[in-house]
Amino acid sequence: MPAPATADTTCQEYEKVLTAAQAAAPVLAAMPLTERAGLLRAVAGALRTQADELVPLADADSSLGVPRLTGEVERTAGQLEMFADAVEEGSWLEAIIDRAGASGAGPDLRRMLIPLGPVAVFGASNFPFAFGLAGGDTAAALAAGCPVVAKAHPAQPRLSGAYARVVVDALHAAGAPEGTFAVVHGMENGRKLVTDARIAAVAFTGSTAGGRALADLAATRPSPIPFYGELGSLNPVFVTREAARVRGKEIAGGFLASMSLGAGQFCTKPGVLFVPAGYGLEDLIAAEAATAPMRLLHEGIGTAFRAEAARLAAHPAVRPLSVPEQDAADESVVRPVLVSTTATELARCPGQLLVECFGPFALVVTYTDDAELPAAADLVDGNLTATVHGEQSGDPVAPALLRTLTGRAGRVIWNGWPTGVTVGWAQHHGGPYPATTSVHTSVGVTAMRRFLRPVAYQSVPDTVLPPALRDANDLRIPRRVDGALTAAPVTAPR
Amino acid sequence: MPAPATADTTCQEYEKVLTAAQAAAPVLAAMPLTERAGLLRAVAGALRTQADELVPLADADSSLGVPRLTGEVERTAGQLEMFADAVEEGSWLEAIIDRAGASGAGPDLRRMLIPLGPVAVFGASNFPFAFGLAGGDTAAALAAGCPVVAKAHPAQPRLSGAYARVVVDALHAAGAPEGTFAVVHGMENGRKLVTDARIAAVAFTGSTAGGRALADLAATRPSPIPFYGELGSLNPVFVTREAARVRGKEIAGGFLASMSLGAGQFCTKPGVLFVPAGYGLEDLIAAEAATAPMRLLHEGIGTAFRAEAARLAAHPAVRPLSVPEQDAADESVVRPVLVSTTATELARCPGQLLVECFGPFALVVTYTDDAELPAAADLVDGNLTATVHGEQSGDPVAPALLRTLTGRAGRVIWNGWPTGVTVGWAQHHGGPYPATTSVHTSVGVTAMRRFLRPVAYQSVPDTVLPPALRDANDLRIPRRVDGALTAAPVTAPR
């Protein structure tokens, strides 16, 4: 079935969407937390109910396969429910009460976080559901109380309309104000969103080039807004000598599985692996590398992969580990490419070799001396993740390396693989630029923080205060009162 | 005494400072929290001990007077001590532990905040101590574990050197690594700091024009960093009909005192006052307005004030309330200027009249219908503060107005005045642009959040984890473990 032609959203329709989002903002902000949580649960339920309709459309768009996409719908629904629970738990409000006299002669001062306003969401193509129209960014923004205007991804012509309808209908049925969620189509409308005075923040997941262009555009606004971009990441993995000795074969297999998961189209794909020379890991990887063709998300990604993998494979500093000939028939079908170099050669031209190649490509770097590892870690840019494979005993290099990598990544992994991002309280999916353009996460409960700003109320009467800051604490949320954390009401007058 | 000529920091010295700051970053980050708190307390102690030396220098630079500046030293010392206490309390680390299995089949994941790295601080001239070299931004950055490179304000030629020396010596004596704090001089060095790859964040307090220029410069970096600017604010005050009736005279007096505090050079100066027509508040203000000359911070501010106040007083939409002739002798000595207009006229040219005029200037706006108030509130840009004077009974307009103003300001005040910013847990000194360029505060404990970023550790052995995330919780800090807030250690294996 050929992809339907999706027309760009017209100017009139765009205006209608933005006006509705602006009107929905105060209504959504004032909605009781249990009702707001109910909206998220309604979308989760609708996604589960209508997965059978949506998954085939997503598969036709992305070629990611029905099992993986079915799992992704469940992950997306679970993510919405996690935010629903967090909304009710209420610690994200960061309520702080300093009663009169708490700080010297100060007045009664009560601070909490409030929603920023309408958020523009640019989803990714590699996770059509989980990072798509009702993915993590949308769920976090709605949880924070912000309406969402999502830009449809051009690589999802079949899914976008149906996915949007499920979300809009579910929100409507659950009592959300009109304008809580809408989708716009067309690249020019995406740029309009980023500079629109009615948009209060942007969340973007995609390429470094595309994200940076929009971030730069956002910076030119008369009134700047936060731009939360999750861009590129190499996700380096370091294997110590001791780990290579004890479980080299297991590591080689784990690496190959992780780098080719989803045809290498995870933002957490390990793109570079550092191994000690002389333990045969390169040979194991070369021998076990899959060479069967994989279908990438769309032709543009296939073409870019072929060009970039070929450029890297032809670089004078690298030698092939597994460089199968690519088929000419279909640009979007590719075979995995693995090449290697040495830490010494890498140090001569890191900027040419340490670049993200989206798809099933990886670079294996051999080192001969443990002292090369910290220097190698310093060569990599900011990353979503960095991984160390080591042994707890007799492996003195590992702890120091872990500490060094903390400066280079948002998530540091011990003896695991970066692909697979748990959705929970402690997750951090972000990292120094270009991994993200901010210090925030796009996955996990704390992702809500991106769409909130503090307000302090000074000497405001209890009845006029938002419920979260009233003495009674009817919401039973955790608060800091006169410096101490408590979920109790403020009872005795000071 | 003529101001000493302060030479710009040389290239060699600048390099030395930045190299030292970069080297200090990991040492400071790894320092036990009690020791880090000790550094802040040492600076506080040194400021108190050497106040007698510093205050006259600050007075010679700023003309703010010895009593006010003596109080400001105490405020600055207290602020450092507040951050020291907060560092030890530890909730700012936002430690979150999801043990293996806490979220479905997820691995052990532990998240906390870590320091960003060296911070460039641009202090303000209107609070030489509290927003100066060891003011709120520096205290918050050091508390977060970040070295500080402060740019000396050109209007503090006498104070800067001595102030810096007190801070550097105190830090050195308390065991801080070399490079924890340094000062650079010269405008070009300020611009260099903003684009320096070794600087991880910028904190700025000053004018909208100056701050925006540096923010735009920061946005052009190959690797963008957060720019935390506290820029301009009008701080509107709204007086309801009922409040004007009950305590018009008290309000007029309070307003005049607040707008002329520190010669109108507070960032929270109420620059515009909305009063109901027919209650005589304009006449009271005109009659009671001070006309005695006031010395501003420096000649440049005096010249800018004269020009802007004259422009506003000559605007066809305004009439004079108190527009004394300015003296020709000394540009930096000025007399307060007060003018008025109507809400109707204001609505025709808000961009021309609702502008910050730094110094003792204010605009009084009369309204005839309560319905004009929400519309008037919508005309003002983002602000640090917004204030309502109302009566709790028989004043239905006040609660709605308070809620509207929440969208326009970072701190909403009931029956008080915006000048005077308590330093404590609940303070928020920030607001929608141009009040600040971010969603963060520059005053209060939560100001630390600007200089931190999250890192998650996945399956990392307990002994390798930072102390804040180890099972034992020896630091006794509040943490979220498997979703629940607790200060207890993680005991039972899951």
Side-chain angles (χ1 to χ4, degrees):
Chain A
M1 141 176 126
T6 310
D8 283 8
T9 303
T10 63
C11 275
Q12 289 93 322
E13 182 59 23
Y14 175 94
E15 277 308 308
K16 219 178 111 185
V17 162
L18 270 288
T19 305
Q22 201 178 17
V27 184
L28 209 52
M31 189 177 267
L33 297 186
T34 48
E35 285 179 37
R36 198 194 291 171
L39 302 183
L40 294 162
R41 293 194 182 104
V43 177
L47 284 179
R48 283 205 186 88
T49 308
Q50 289 170 74
D52 289 350
E53 181 207 343
L54 297 176
V55 164
L57 298 172
D59 190 37
D61 280 342
S62 70
S63 309
L64 288 169
V66 169
R68 141 76 197 267
L69 289 164
T70 302
E72 203 186 312
V73 169
E74 178 51 38
R75 176 194 173 93
T76 309
Q79 185 164 252
L80 286 154
E81 288 164 343
M82 174 198 74
F83 279 115
D85 293 346
V87 165
E88 290 176 327
E89 192 265 352
S91 61
W92 59 275
L93 289 160
E94 293 185 10
I96 307 180
I97 297 174
D98 287 345
R99 289 186 290 170
S103 317
D108 185 285
L109 205 55
R110 301 180 182 223
R111 169 202 185 267
M112 65 180 284
L113 301 186
I114 63 169
L116 279 180
V119 172
V121 170
F122 293 74
S125 62
N126 59 343
F127 285 84
F129 293 107
F131 285 81
L133 297 179
D137 285 334
T138 293
L142 292 176
C146 299
V148 169
V149 180
K151 155 81 171 54
H153 199 289
Q156 287 151 4
R158 298 172 188 83
L159 176 63
S160 293
Y163 194 178
R165 214 159 33 243
V166 168
V167 179
V168 169
D169 290 350
L171 287 170
H172 179 77
E178 201 201 339
T180 298
F181 177 84
V183 171
V184 298
H185 297 263
M187 194 155 93
E188 210 32 62
N189 284 322
R191 293 177 56 89
K192 261 171 84 174
L193 280 179
V194 171
T195 53
D196 197 304
R198 293 162 292 194
I199 291 295
V202 179
F204 172 95
T205 312
S207 71
T208 302
R212 183 64 193 257
L214 290 181
D216 288 346
L217 188 62
T220 67
R221 291 169 57 109
S223 183
I225 55 172
F227 183 91
Y228 302 110
E230 189 217 311
L231 313 181
S233 184
L234 260 183
N235 306 300
V237 177
F238 297 80
V239 181
T240 68
R241 206 172 289 283
E242 192 61 10
R245 192 183 63 76
V246 174
R247 44 190 175 90
K249 197 174 162 57
E250 177 198 327
I251 289 169
F255 169 69
L256 286 168
S258 183
M259 66 78 66
S260 61
L261 205 63
Q265 299 170 115
F266 276 40
C267 35
T268 50
K269 176 198 77 174
V272 57
L273 176 77
F274 292 84
V275 299
Y279 291 75
L281 264 76
E282 319 91 280
D283 300 335
L284 272 170
I285 287 166
E288 291 175 19
T291 55
M294 301 172 164
R295 182 172 290 279
L296 301 189
L297 291 163
H298 56 83
E299 199 176 300
I301 286 182
T303 304
F305 174 82
R306 284 159 179 256
E308 188 65 2
R311 183 189 71 77
L312 286 159
H315 193 282
V318 313
R319 59 188 190 84
L321 287 180
S322 177
V323 185
E325 197 160 328
Q326 301 291 346
D327 309 312
D330 186 341
E331 281 279 302
S332 59
V333 175
V334 304
R335 295 170 193 267
V337 175
L338 287 139
V339 299
S340 78
T341 189
T342 65
T344 313
E345 286 180 292
L346 179 68
R348 284 197 203 108
C349 50
Q352 289 168 37
L353 297 177
L354 292 175
V355 289
E356 187 181 11
C357 175
F358 196 75
F361 173 90
L363 172 68
V364 177
V365 183
T366 54
Y367 65 90
T368 50
D369 190 331
D370 287 358
E372 289 177 295
L373 286 180
D378 266 349
L379 292 179
V380 297
D381 251 347
N383 283 280
L384 291 169
T385 72
T387 302
V388 176
H389 277 273
E391 291 297 310
Q392 269 205 261
S393 55
D395 207 349
V397 72
L401 193 56
L402 267 175
R403 277 187 281 270
T404 303
L405 290 171
T406 302
R408 282 281 181 278
R411 179 162 52 107
V412 180
I413 300 157
W414 173 258
N415 288 353
W417 298 101
T419 43
V421 181
T422 328
V423 176
W425 282 97
Q427 188 55 272
H428 181 64
H429 190 62
Y433 188 86
T436 38
T437 61
S438 78
V439 298
H440 290 277
T441 181
S442 62
V443 177
V445 175
T446 58
M448 288 172 69
R449 186 65 178 81
R450 295 175 297 167
F451 308 118
L452 298 161
R453 70 174 174 91
V455 169
Y457 297 86
Q458 181 174 319
S459 309
V460 171
D462 200 69
T463 51
V464 184
L465 284 169
L469 293 180
R470 289 184 196 156
D471 279 350
N473 196 14
D474 285 339
L475 301 177
R476 289 288 175 274
I477 58 170
R479 311 192 292 188
R480 182 178 297 275
V481 178
D482 294 350
L485 289 167
T486 174
V490 176
T491 44
R494 198 188 175 79
Chain B
M1 148 176 120
T6 310
D8 284 8
T9 303
T10 64
C11 275
Q12 289 92 321
E13 182 59 23
Y14 175 93
E15 276 309 305
K16 219 179 112 186
V17 162
L18 270 288
T19 305
Q22 202 179 18
V27 184
L28 209 51
M31 189 177 267
L33 297 185
T34 47
E35 286 180 34
R36 197 192 294 172
L39 302 184
L40 294 162
R41 293 194 183 104
V43 177
L47 284 179
R48 283 206 186 88
T49 307
Q50 289 170 74
D52 289 348
E53 181 207 343
L54 297 177
V55 164
L57 298 172
D59 189 36
D61 280 342
S62 69
S63 309
L64 287 169
V66 168
R68 143 76 197 268
L69 289 164
T70 302
E72 202 186 313
V73 170
E74 178 51 38
R75 176 194 172 93
T76 309
Q79 185 165 252
L80 286 154
E81 287 165 343
M82 174 198 75
F83 279 115
D85 293 345
V87 165
E88 290 176 327
E89 193 264 353
S91 61
W92 59 275
L93 289 159
E94 293 185 11
I96 307 180
I97 297 174
D98 288 345
R99 288 186 291 171
S103 318
D108 184 284
L109 205 55
R110 300 177 184 225
R111 168 203 185 266
M112 65 180 283
L113 302 185
I114 63 169
L116 279 179
V119 172
V121 170
F122 293 73
S125 61
N126 58 343
F127 284 85
F129 293 106
F131 287 81
L133 296 179
D137 286 335
T138 292
L142 293 176
C146 299
V148 168
V149 181
K151 155 79 169 55
H153 199 290
Q156 286 151 7
R158 298 171 187 84
L159 177 63
S160 293
Y163 194 178
R165 211 158 36 242
V166 169
V167 179
V168 169
D169 289 351
L171 287 169
H172 179 77
E178 201 203 338
T180 298
F181 176 85
V183 170
V184 298
H185 296 263
M187 193 154 95
E188 209 33 62
N189 283 322
R191 293 176 56 88
K192 259 172 86 175
L193 280 179
V194 171
T195 53
D196 197 303
R198 293 162 291 192
I199 291 295
V202 179
F204 172 95
T205 311
S207 71
T208 302
R212 183 62 192 257
L214 290 181
D216 288 347
L217 187 63
T220 66
R221 292 169 57 108
S223 183
I225 55 172
F227 183 92
Y228 302 111
E230 189 217 310
L231 313 182
S233 183
L234 259 184
N235 307 299
V237 177
F238 297 81
V239 181
T240 68
R241 206 172 289 283
E242 192 62 10
R245 193 183 64 75
V246 174
R247 45 190 173 89
K249 196 172 163 58
E250 177 197 329
I251 289 170
F255 169 69
L256 286 169
S258 183
M259 67 78 65
S260 61
L261 206 61
Q265 299 170 113
F266 275 39
C267 36
T268 50
K269 177 199 78 176
V272 57
L273 177 77
F274 292 85
V275 299
Y279 290 75
L281 264 77
E282 318 92 281
D283 298 337
L284 273 170
I285 287 167
E288 291 175 19
T291 55
M294 301 172 163
R295 182 172 290 278
L296 300 189
L297 291 163
H298 56 83
E299 198 177 300
I301 287 182
T303 305
F305 173 83
R306 285 158 178 256
E308 188 64 4
R311 183 189 72 76
L312 286 159
H315 193 283
V318 313
R319 59 187 191 85
L321 287 181
S322 176
V323 185
E325 196 159 330
Q326 301 292 346
D327 310 312
D330 185 342
E331 281 280 301
S332 58
V333 174
V334 305
R335 295 169 192 268
V337 175
L338 286 139
V339 299
S340 77
T341 188
T342 65
T344 313
E345 285 179 292
L346 180 68
R348 285 198 203 107
C349 50
Q352 288 168 36
L353 297 179
L354 293 174
V355 288
E356 187 182 11
C357 176
F358 196 76
F361 172 91
L363 172 68
V364 177
V365 183
T366 54
Y367 64 89
T368 49
D369 189 329
D370 287 357
E372 289 177 295
L373 285 181
D378 266 349
L379 292 179
V380 297
D381 250 348
N383 283 280
L384 291 168
T385 72
T387 301
V388 176
H389 277 272
E391 291 297 310
Q392 267 205 263
S393 55
D395 207 349
V397 73
L401 193 56
L402 267 175
R403 276 189 280 271
T404 303
L405 290 171
T406 302
R408 283 281 181 276
R411 178 163 53 106
V412 180
I413 300 158
W414 173 258
N415 288 354
W417 298 101
T419 43
V421 181
T422 328
V423 176
W425 281 96
Q427 188 54 272
H428 181 62
H429 191 62
Y433 188 86
T436 38
T437 61
S438 77
V439 299
H440 291 278
T441 182
S442 61
V443 178
V445 175
T446 58
M448 287 172 69
R449 186 64 178 81
R450 296 175 296 167
F451 308 117
L452 298 161
R453 70 175 176 89
V455 168
Y457 296 86
Q458 182 174 320
S459 309
V460 170
D462 200 69
T463 51
V464 184
L465 284 169
L469 294 179
R470 290 184 197 157
D471 280 350
N473 195 14
D474 286 338
L475 301 176
R476 288 289 176 273
I477 58 170
R479 311 192 293 188
R480 183 177 297 275
V481 178
D482 295 351
L485 289 168
T486 174
V490 176
T491 43
R494 197 186 176 82

